[in-house]
Amino acid sequence: LWNTFVPPILPRTPLLTGTAQTMLSWPKIMESLDDVPPVFKEFIETLLGDSPEFPYVVLTPAKRGFFSKSADKLICDTGDTIYIAEQAGDRIIANGYPLETIRYVEVGVILLHAWITISGVTLDGVSTSSSFVFNSARDRILSPLIDKIRSVPAEPDETQLNIEKSKFDY
């Protein structure tokens, strides 16, 4: 009778391979509101308003390492403003950076660890910066945002350039 006990069969969670675990840290493009994680949906719905067009939205998953931790962040390009929204517990903290008030964008990569920092004046008039980290295997997803921020005006103002150059003439 001692061997009649049959342990219950517990459901097993599938184990993730190293590759699958790494892919979870990659940034992802959100194609529609259905792709957006539930915690960010209300934020995106507020941004969209009545607009029928879905903006360029990228999710950078949380990174939890030994030396640093970061939360899920959502980067959204609405045309004239770049928003960076961060999950902080059960709420969302968001900064909107109008393109004309962005002072600089820093892009860093060390092996697979990558980060982007945007610094400027937010829609609230606060001078601040926002950073997000991600796995650089898919950094090309964020290239359109960086290119947009770093874009040069199509036609520079020659009169202002000539005024500045004339300061060197004695």
Side-chain angles (χ1 to χ4, degrees), residues 17-28:
T17 64
T19 303
Q21 288 177 18
T22 299
M23 289 172 64
L24 291 175
S25 69
W26 290 357
K28 298 171 192 71

Side-chain angles (χ1 to χ4, degrees), residues 77-148:
D77 176 13
T78 61
D80 58 347
T81 305
I82 305 290
Y83 289 90
I84 299 175
E86 175 180 350
Q87 180 182 355
D90 59 345
R91 63 189 185 107
I92 299 297
I93 299 172
N95 285 319
Y97 295 92
L99 290 175
E100 63 272 0
T101 66
I102 293 177
R103 285 191 296 270
Y104 70 85
V105 60
E106 172 189 281
V107 179
V109 178
I110 301 174
L111 299 176
L112 289 176
H113 175 75
W115 68 93
I116 295 177
T117 300
I118 296 175
S119 179
V121 179
T122 65
L123 290 170
D124 299 328
V126 177
S127 180
T128 189
S129 63
S130 299
S131 295
F132 47 96
V133 295
F134 54 95
N135 184 310
S136 68
R138 302 222 10 205
D139 59 353
R140 66 185 179 280
I141 286 177
L142 294 159
S143 294
L145 295 172
I146 295 166
D147 292 345
K148 186 172 192 172

